[in-house]
Amino acid sequence: MAVCGAVAMSLTACGGGSGQHRAATTGGQHTDDARPSAAPTRVPGIGDRLWQRIPAGTRQVVAVYGAGPNSPNSTVRLFTKHGSTWEGTRSWPAHNGRRGWTLNHHEGDQRSPVGVFTLSDAGGVLADPGAKLPYTQSASFQAPHYWNKASWHDFDYVIAIDYNRVKGTPPNDPTRPQGQSKGGSIWLHMDHGSGTSACVSMSQARMRYLLRTLDPRQHPVVVMGDAQDLRA
C-alpha cells in the first residue's frame, strides 16, 4: 500500500505542530451528551448553499463549526436523522487547519476546505475498533518521526474526507482526481493539541466513537467550515 502518498507528499494535509486547545462554542456545549431542546428539521447553522449539497439519502451528518475564518479551533457535532428531524447526539472540541478555512483549497495553504463531503473509508495504524465503514489497518499510516512528537499518533485512527480522492480506496491512496495542486489526504484524525494542515482532528475516544457509529447504510457526510460560510 502506498504510504499516504509516500508520507511526505500525501500527509501534508494533516498533522504537525503543538499547542493549547481553545475550541469554538458554535453549535452547543462541549459534551458527549449535548442535545438540543427541540429536534430541528435541518442541521442548525447550515445555510441553503451547503444544505442543498447534502444527498437526499443522508441520515448522519458530522458538522464541523469553525470558530472563525482564520481560526484553527472548531466544534464537531454529530447529527442523526429520525423521520424528518435531526437530533444532535454528540458535541466535541476539535481542530481544523491552522490558518482556518477556505472556499478554494490548494496544496500547502494550511486551511481546511469549506463544503459537504461524503465519508466512505477509514483506517489507521491501530486495529479496527469495530468500524462500520471499510477499515484498512496498516503501518503505512504512521506519521513520520521527523514530525513533532505530539503528532506521531495523529493517524492511529483516520476517516477519509472525500475531497479530491477516489472513494472506495484506503484513506492513504495517493490518487488525486483534480490534480496534486488541489491538495488531498484530508481526514478526520486524532488530535495533537493544535491546528492541522487541513484535516479535522479530535481525541482518540471521539474518533473511536465515530468509527463505530458512522454507517455507510446511512450515507454519512461531513459539513465543515467557519460559521459565516456554513450559514451562507
Side-chain angles (χ1 to χ4, degrees), residues 71-84:
S71 173
N73 301 317
S74 53
T75 297
V76 168
R77 294 193 69 191
L78 176 63
F79 290 86
T80 303
K81 191 174 185 181
H82 300 282
S84 61

Side-chain angles (χ1 to χ4, degrees), residues 26 45-50 226-232:
T26 307
I46 309 300
D48 291 341
R49 178 173 61 86
L50 293 180
D226 62 279
Q228 181 176 342
D229 281 320
L230 287 178
R231 290 195 302 266

Side-chain angles (χ1 to χ4, degrees), residues 195-207:
T196 71
S197 292
C199 297
V200 174
S201 62
M202 64 200 80
S203 74
Q204 182 185 63
R206 280 68 183 264
M207 282 298 301

Side-chain angles (χ1 to χ4, degrees), residues 41-135:
T41 56
R42 58 193 285 176
V43 174
I46 309 300
D48 291 341
R49 178 173 61 86
L50 293 180
W51 188 254
Q52 292 168 1
R53 300 181 189 176
I54 297 175
T58 290
R59 304 188 69 82
Q60 290 178 323
V61 168
V62 178
V64 184
Y65 298 94
N70 302 310
S71 173
N73 301 317
S74 53
T75 297
V76 168
R77 294 193 69 191
L78 176 63
F79 290 86
T80 303
K81 191 174 185 181
H82 300 282
S84 61
T85 62
W86 289 90
E87 180 186 5
T89 55
R90 293 291 190 274
S91 182
W92 306 310
H95 286 104
N96 50 266
R98 62 178 57 89
R99 295 183 62 190
W101 299 90
T102 180
L103 291 167
N104 185 26
H105 176 68
H106 61 270
E107 186 80 13
D109 64 11
Q110 299 187 54
R111 293 178 180 271
S112 297
V114 176
V116 176
F117 308 102
T118 54
L119 300 170
S120 56
D121 299 280
V125 176
L126 299 180
D128 184 352
K132 295 180 179 178
L133 296 172
Y135 188 93

Side-chain angles (χ1 to χ4, degrees), residues 1-7 9-11 13 107 120-121 160-187:
M1 183 182 297
V3 184
C4 205
V7 176
M9 178 183 78
S10 194
L11 293 184
E107 186 80 13
S120 56
D121 299 280
I161 293 172
D162 292 333
Y163 169 89
N164 196 18
R165 70 177 300 270
V166 178
K167 293 193 290 184
T169 63
N172 59 357
D173 184 293
T175 307
R176 296 184 177 180
Q178 299 176 57
Q180 184 70 22
S181 65
K182 290 296 291 181
S185 297
I186 298 177
W187 302 338

Side-chain angles (χ1 to χ4, degrees), residues 10-26:
S10 194
L11 293 184
T12 53
C14 306
S18 61
Q20 297 299 314
H21 178 77
R22 288 167 43 194
T25 57
T26 307

